[in-house]
C-alpha cells in the first residue's frame, strides 16, 4: 500500500549544544591482569593525568576474533588497526600502516605498507605475517555472530617481505578500507593468539595507544600509555580508567562526586534533559552531536506469526515512532523511517512514505486481507543491560501501542545481554529489539550486515536482489555519493519485506567535568571513543 510522499515528523532536542563531528557489548570472565611489558609506569604525579570515564558498554570478550559488538569501544584504545580515523576525518587513514591503496583498476587488490619498527606492547615484532595471522584467524575461528561476516569480499591475504600486505578480494569492494579500520581487524601477536581458537588466558597483547594493565569484567579496565606505540594518536593523557555501569543514574552520581571525569555511553534521557537544563549541574558540561546509532526491531521468518508478512506490516503500520522519541526518550532521539540514518548518502523516509502516520484501521485491513481475524500473540525480547536503563520502558511502550490497537496480544521479556544474544542467534525469539552502532560511516553498513544467510542477527534473511545485485554494484564505486540509487532501492525492498523496522536515530552525548577537555574530538565516525583525546585542562 503506497501513499503519496509526505514529510515525516522529526523531534528535535530541547537545547542545541556544542556540536560533535558526525560519526558505534559482551563472555569472558576475567581476573585482574598483571602489568604488561611496554606500559608506562605511573608515578603519583602522573596519576593527575589519568582520566576516569564511565560507560554502559562493557566488553564481552578481549579477543578481537570473537567480537562484532560494543567490545570495540575498548579495542580501539588497546589494539591497533592498519587504518583508523584521525580526529575530524570521515575516511580511513593509515595507522599501523604507512600507506594503503587499491593497486588495480577493479578495486580487487588492496595493498598496505607497514610503518617501520612496529612492535607489540611486549616487544614482539609486528610485521606483515602478524597482520595476515590476525585476519586469517578471524575466518578460521568463525565465531557465531562474530566479525567473519565483515570479510565476505576477502579471498586471501598475502605478504611480501616484512612490511607489505596484499589483500586479494573475490569481488570489487570499495568499502574494504572501511572494514580494515574497524576494531574487529585489530592486529594481534601470533605468539599469543592461536590461529584456530580464541585466546583464553584473559590477557591482551596489542600495539595500540594504551596497554591494558588490569581488567575486571563488568567493573573496570585500567589503561596505561603503551610506550612502544607507533601511530597517529596524539595521547593527551597518560592513563585511562574505564568504569562500567548498568544504570545511568549511578553514572551521573559518580560524575557529580568526581569519581569519574566523563561519560560516553548509556546516559538516560531524563539525565540528559537534566544536564541540558543546567539546574544543579553548573559543574558539568554536556556536548551534543549527531549520531548514527539506529534502534530497530527484527523478526525471525521461521516463527509462526512473524513468518507472515502481513503481521510484520501491520506492526509497521501501528508503531508510533514520534511517541517513543518524545514520551520515552524526551526528544533526545529522532524518529527514523529507514535503516540508513540521516547524514549518510542513501538515507530515505521509505517507511513513512509507505505507511504514513500510525493507523490501526489500516493495520486491521492488512491483517484481514491476509485472513488473520484474531489477535496476534507475540513476545518481544530485549537486552536488560546493554542499551541504557530506558530500554525496558521503551518496549513497554511498544507493547502498549500494539495492544491498544486491539489487533495484538503482546508481551515483553528482557534478558541480560549474553543470554539474550545467545538466544536470538539460536532462533529462540520471534521478535527482538536491538541497536546498531555502525562498523563504518557508509550506507552499506546499515544494510549489508542484516541480509544474507550469515548476518549479524543470526537470522537468515535472503534477499537476492540486495545481496547479488545492489550491494555488488555499490561496491564497485569508490565515490560513495554515487550509489544513492542502489541504497534507495534496497530500502524499498526492506520496507516491502518488513523484516527490519527502524525506530529511531540516536544522538551522541558526552557529559564531563568542567575540568575535562577534548570531548568534542573524542568520538570517531563510528561513535567509538578515542580515549587519547580526553585530558584535564590543568594537566596540558
Amino acid at each position: 500500500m503506497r501513499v503519496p510522499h509526505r514529510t515525516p515528523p522529526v523531534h528535535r532536542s530541547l537545547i542545541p549544544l556544542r556540536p560533535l563531528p558526525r560519526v558505534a557489548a559482551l563472555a569472558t570472565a576475567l581476573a585482574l591482569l598483571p602489568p604488561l611489558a611496554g606500559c608506562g609506569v605511573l608515578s603519583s604525579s602522573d596519576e593527575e593525568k589519568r582520566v576516569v570515564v564511565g560507560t554502559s558498554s562493557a566488553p564481552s570478550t578481549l579477543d578481537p576474533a570473537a567480537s562484532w559488538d560494543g567490545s570495540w569501544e575498548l579495542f580501539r584504545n588497546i589494539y591497533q588497526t592498519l587504518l583508523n580515523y584521525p580526529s575530524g576525518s570521515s575516511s580511513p587513514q593509515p595507522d599501523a600502516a604507512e600507506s594503503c591503496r587499491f593497486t588495480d583498476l577493479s578495486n580487487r587488490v588492496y595493498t598496505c605498507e607497514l610503518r617501520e619498527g612496529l612492535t607489540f606492547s611486549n616487544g614482539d615484532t609486528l610485521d606483515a605475517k602478524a597482520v595476515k595471522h590476525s585476519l586469517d584467524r578471524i575466518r578460521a575461528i568463525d565465531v557465531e555472530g562474530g566479525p567473519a561476516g565483515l570479510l565476505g569480499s576477502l579471498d586471501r591475504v598475502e605478504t611480501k617481505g616484512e612490511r607489505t600486505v596484499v589483500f586479494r578480494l573475490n569481488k570489487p569492494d570499495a568499502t574494504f578500507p572501511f572494514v580494515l579500520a574497524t576494531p574487529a581487524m585489530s592486529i594481534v601477536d601470533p605468539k599469543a593468539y592461536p590461529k584456530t581458537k580464541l585466546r583464553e588466558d584473559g590477557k591482551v597483547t596489542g600495539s595500540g595507544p594504551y596497554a591494558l594493565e588490569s581488567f575486571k569484567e563488568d567493573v573496570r579496565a585500567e589503561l596505561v600509555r603503551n610506550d612502544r606505540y607507533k601511530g597517529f594518536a596524539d595521547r593527551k593523557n597518560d592513563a585511562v580508567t574505564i568504569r562500567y555501569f548498568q544504570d545511568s543514574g549511578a553514572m551521573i552520581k559518580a560524575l557529580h562526586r568526581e569519581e569519574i571525569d566523563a561519560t560516553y555511553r548509556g546516559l538516560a534521557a531524563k539525565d540528559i534533559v537534566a544536564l541540558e537544563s543546567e539546574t544543579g549541574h553548573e559543574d558539568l558540561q554536556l556536548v551534543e552531536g549527531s549520531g548514527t546509532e539506529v534502534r530497530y526491531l527484527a523478526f525471525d521468518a521461521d516463527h509462526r506469526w512473524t513468518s507472515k508478512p502481513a503481521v510484520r506490516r501491520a506492526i509497521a503500520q501501528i508503531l508510533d515512532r514520534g511517541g517513543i522519541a518524545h514520551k520515552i526518550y524526551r526528544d533526545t532521539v529522532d524518529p527514523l523511517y529507514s535503516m540508513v540514518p540521516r547524514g549518510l548518502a542513501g538515507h530515505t523516509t521509505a517507511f513513512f512514505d509507505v505507511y504514513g502516520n500510525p493507523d490501526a484501521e489500516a493495520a486491521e485491513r492488512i491483517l484481514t486481507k491476509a485472513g488473520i481475524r484474531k489477535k496476534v500473540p507475540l513476545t518481544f525480547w530485549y537486552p536488560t543491560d546493554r542499551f541504557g536503563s530506558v530500554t525496558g520502558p521503551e518496549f513497554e511502550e511498544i507493547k502498549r501501542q500494539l495492544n491498544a490497537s486491539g489487533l495484538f496480544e503482546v508481551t515483553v521479556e528482557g534478558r541480560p545481554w549474553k543470554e539474550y544474544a545467545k538466544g536470538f542467534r539460536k532462533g529462540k525469539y520471534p521478535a527482538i529489539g536491538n541497536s546498531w552502532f555502525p562498523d563504518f560511516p557508509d550506507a552499506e553498513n546499515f544494510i549489508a550486515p542484516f541480509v544474507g544467510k550469515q548476518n549479524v542477527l543470526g537470522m537468515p534473511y535472503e534477499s537476492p536482489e540486495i545481496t547479488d545485485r545492489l550491494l555488488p554494484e555499490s561496491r564497485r564505486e569508490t565515490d560513495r555519493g554515487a550509489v544513492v540509487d542502489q541504497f534507495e532501492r534496497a530500502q524499498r525492498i526492506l520496507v516491502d519485506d518488513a523484516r527490519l523496522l527502524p525506530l529511531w536515530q540516536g544522538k551522541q552525548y558526552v557529559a564531563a567535568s568542567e575540568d575535562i577537555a577534548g570531548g568534542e574530538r573524542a568520538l570517531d565516525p563510528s561513535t567509538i571513543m578515542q580515549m587519547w583525546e580526553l585530558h584535564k585542562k590543568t594537566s596540558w
Side-chain angles (χ1 to χ4, degrees):
M1 50 172 290
R2 295 196 172 275
V3 295
H5 178 80
R6 291 163 284 177
T7 301
V10 175
H11 293 260
R12 298 296 179 189
S13 61
L14 302 178
I15 303 175
L17 302 174
R18 289 171 290 172
L20 280 173
R22 180 192 63 76
V23 270
L26 299 141
T28 308
L30 302 169
L32 292 178
L33 307 181
L36 299 177
C39 308
V41 178
L42 297 179
S43 66
S44 57
S45 60
D46 290 329
E47 279 295 328
E48 296 179 1
K49 296 179 181 178
R50 177 184 291 273
V51 176
V52 184
V53 182
T55 178
S56 65
S57 188
S60 65
T61 177
L62 295 181
D63 191 328
S67 172
W68 197 353
D69 61 23
S71 302
W72 289 9
E73 303 274 14
L74 179 61
F75 293 174
R76 175 62 81 206
N77 295 279
I78 60 176
Y79 292 105
Q80 193 174 19
T81 47
L82 289 171
L83 301 169
N84 204 333
Y85 297 95
S87 296
S89 173
S90 60
S91 60
Q93 303 296 322
D95 188 7
E98 184 175 85
S99 64
C100 289
R101 64 188 180 92
F102 281 104
T103 50
D104 69 335
L105 298 178
S106 61
N107 293 339
R108 293 184 60 173
V109 181
Y110 195 71
T111 303
C112 290
E113 188 80 7
L114 296 177
R115 294 176 186 261
E116 289 189 31
L118 291 175
T119 64
F120 292 100
S121 58
N122 62 359
D124 288 347
T125 298
L126 193 167
D127 57 12
K129 290 181 180 179
V131 176
K132 174 177 168 57
H133 172 84
S134 300
L135 270 72
D136 284 349
R137 70 188 295 266
I138 292 173
R139 297 199 296 180
I141 299 171
D142 195 16
V143 171
E144 184 178 6
L150 289 168
L151 295 174
S153 64
L154 179 62
D155 180 29
R156 64 188 185 276
V157 184
E158 299 174 351
T159 62
K160 294 184 177 180
E162 295 183 351
R163 293 176 52 206
T164 303
V165 187
V166 180
F167 302 93
R168 298 197 180 274
L169 310 183
N170 52 38
K171 53 192 172 186
D173 187 0
T175 69
F176 190 71
F178 291 91
V179 172
L180 289 180
T182 66
M185 304 301 138
S186 295
I187 305 168
V188 298
D189 187 347
K191 294 181 181 178
Y193 292 79
K195 183 175 181 180
T196 58
K197 65 178 182 178
L198 297 175
R199 183 172 183 174
E200 298 177 348
D201 64 359
K203 298 182 180 180
V204 165
T205 310
S207 61
Y210 300 96
L212 186 63
E213 185 178 53
S214 66
F215 180 78
K216 188 173 182 180
E217 186 179 22
D218 295 331
V219 178
R220 70 175 64 230
E222 300 285 356
L223 281 57
V224 295
R225 177 186 289 258
N226 174 15
D227 292 332
R228 292 191 171 97
Y229 169 71
K230 290 185 177 182
F232 69 76
D234 178 14
R235 291 163 292 188
K236 296 181 174 63
N237 59 64
D238 284 338
V240 177
T241 295
I242 304 174
R243 287 185 54 189
Y244 300 113
F245 293 83
Q246 292 190 14
D247 178 74
S248 173
M251 191 157 59
I252 289 294
K253 286 180 180 178
L255 190 60
H256 275 296
R257 294 170 181 167
E258 300 183 349
E259 296 169 357
I260 61 176
D261 299 307
T263 71
Y264 75 98
R265 197 178 298 285
L267 288 177
K270 63 181 179 62
D271 293 319
I272 294 170
V273 172
L275 288 167
E276 286 179 323
S277 72
E278 295 188 357
T279 302
H281 300 285
E282 292 81 1
D283 57 335
L284 302 179
Q285 55 178 313
L286 183 69
V287 181
E288 174 196 331
S290 299
T292 48
E293 174 189 359
V294 170
R295 174 83 97 230
Y296 63 93
L297 302 178
F299 302 101
D300 192 332
D302 287 336
H303 282 262
R304 177 186 176 189
W305 289 108
T306 52
S307 66
K308 302 177 185 298
V311 169
R312 305 192 299 261
R313 291 167 184 161
I315 294 171
Q317 184 65 74
I318 293 169
L319 283 176
D320 181 1
R321 295 166 173 82
I324 294 171
H326 181 67
K327 180 178 179 180
I328 305 300
Y329 286 94
R330 309 276 295 273
D331 301 315
T332 59
V333 302
D334 287 330
L336 184 63
Y337 298 89
S338 78
M339 285 299 290
V340 177
R342 283 182 306 280
L344 296 183
H347 167 72
T348 71
T349 56
F351 274 91
F352 189 84
D353 298 342
V354 171
Y355 295 103
N357 291 315
D359 189 334
E361 292 182 358
E364 184 175 17
R365 290 193 293 270
I366 292 172
L367 293 172
T368 300
K369 186 176 180 180
I372 301 172
R373 293 180 172 82
K374 63 178 182 178
K375 289 185 179 181
V376 176
L378 195 58
T379 300
F380 282 82
W381 299 78
Y382 67 91
T384 57
D385 56 353
R386 180 71 180 275
F387 302 130
S389 55
V390 295
T391 304
E394 174 184 6
F395 279 83
E396 288 293 335
E397 172 63 13
I398 291 171
K399 168 186 171 180
R400 187 198 66 78
Q401 291 182 9
L402 293 174
N403 288 349
S405 71
L407 304 173
F408 288 87
E409 191 172 317
V410 169
T411 58
V412 296
E413 293 281 352
R415 293 289 186 272
W417 171 257
K418 293 174 185 178
E419 179 183 347
Y420 167 80
K422 185 182 296 184
F424 73 68
R425 287 169 183 154
K426 290 185 176 180
K428 292 176 61 176
Y429 309 145
I432 64 172
N434 261 347
S435 277
W436 179 249
F437 302 94
D439 305 318
F440 50 85
D442 188 276
E444 147 121 0
N445 196 238
F446 292 86
I447 295 176
F450 302 97
V451 296
K453 293 181 180 179
Q454 183 183 24
N455 61 52
V456 70
L457 293 172
M459 299 177 179
Y461 178 7
E462 297 193 40
S463 179
E465 185 177 356
I466 294 178
T467 57
D468 299 345
R469 184 174 72 81
L470 297 173
L471 291 177
E473 284 180 3
S474 74
R475 289 165 179 158
R476 296 188 186 99
E477 180 57 67
T478 53
D479 179 2
R480 305 309 290 160
V483 293
V484 170
D485 290 345
Q486 286 87 346
F487 290 124
E488 289 182 347
R489 171 58 188 158
Q491 289 177 88
R492 288 195 294 271
I493 294 171
L494 296 182
V495 170
D496 290 341
D497 292 343
R499 291 278 305 274
L500 299 163
L501 297 185
L503 294 177
W504 50 257
Q505 175 176 350
K507 303 172 186 178
Q508 291 301 317
Y509 296 90
V510 175
S513 160
E514 62 182 356
D515 296 327
I516 292 294
E520 72 282 357
R521 294 172 55 84
L523 295 177
D524 78 2
S526 298
T527 69
I528 295 176
M529 179 70 87
Q530 300 177 137
M531 297 294 180
W532 56 84
E533 292 290 351
L534 299 176
H535 61 94
K536 296 179 180 179
K537 295 175 182 176
T538 56
S539 299
W540 294 82

